[in-house]
Amino acid sequence: MNASKNTAAAMPLTVTRAEDLGRLIRQTRKRQALTLETLAGLCGVSMRFLSELENGRASCGLGRVLLVLETLGIELSAQPTDIDT
């Protein structure tokens, strides 16, 4: 289901707010020349949901957010900030 056309490794992004993730999703969608309508069809979500997600709405459902990330070829990882090394 990955719509990604660019296989080059990207720099990791620290996401601390919904707006950060929304900005990444919008930039990736545009870089892949996908419209909101096209991406919505690929993901099986509404254009309204995608618009709200890209605009940083904090209450978007995680399951659908993960589906959008997978479709765009964005890998999400998390780690505790208090790791003892």
Side-chain angles (χ1 to χ4, degrees):
M1 185 186 271
N2 185 337
S4 178
K5 295 177 185 176
N6 185 359
T7 57
M11 293 292 295
L13 170 71
T14 299
V15 175
T16 57
R17 303 173 309 151
E19 292 86 358
D20 299 334
L21 186 58
R23 189 176 311 108
L24 172 65
I25 290 169
R26 178 180 287 120
Q27 290 171 349
T28 304
R29 175 180 61 80
K30 288 185 175 189
R31 189 170 51 250
Q32 294 180 19
L34 296 170
T35 64
L36 276 173
E37 183 178 15
T38 301
L39 182 57
L42 290 170
C43 297
V45 300
S46 71
M47 288 176 33
R48 178 178 176 176
F49 173 82
L50 283 176
S51 178
E52 290 174 349
L53 178 59
E54 287 186 354
N55 285 299
R57 182 173 177 179
S59 62
C60 290
L62 182 59
R64 291 190 295 168
V65 171
L66 294 173
L67 180 60
V68 171
L69 294 176
E70 178 186 354
T71 301
L72 288 172
I74 298 171
E75 181 180 290
L76 180 67
S77 62
Q79 69 181 54
T81 57
D82 61 345
I83 296 177
D84 294 326
T85 54

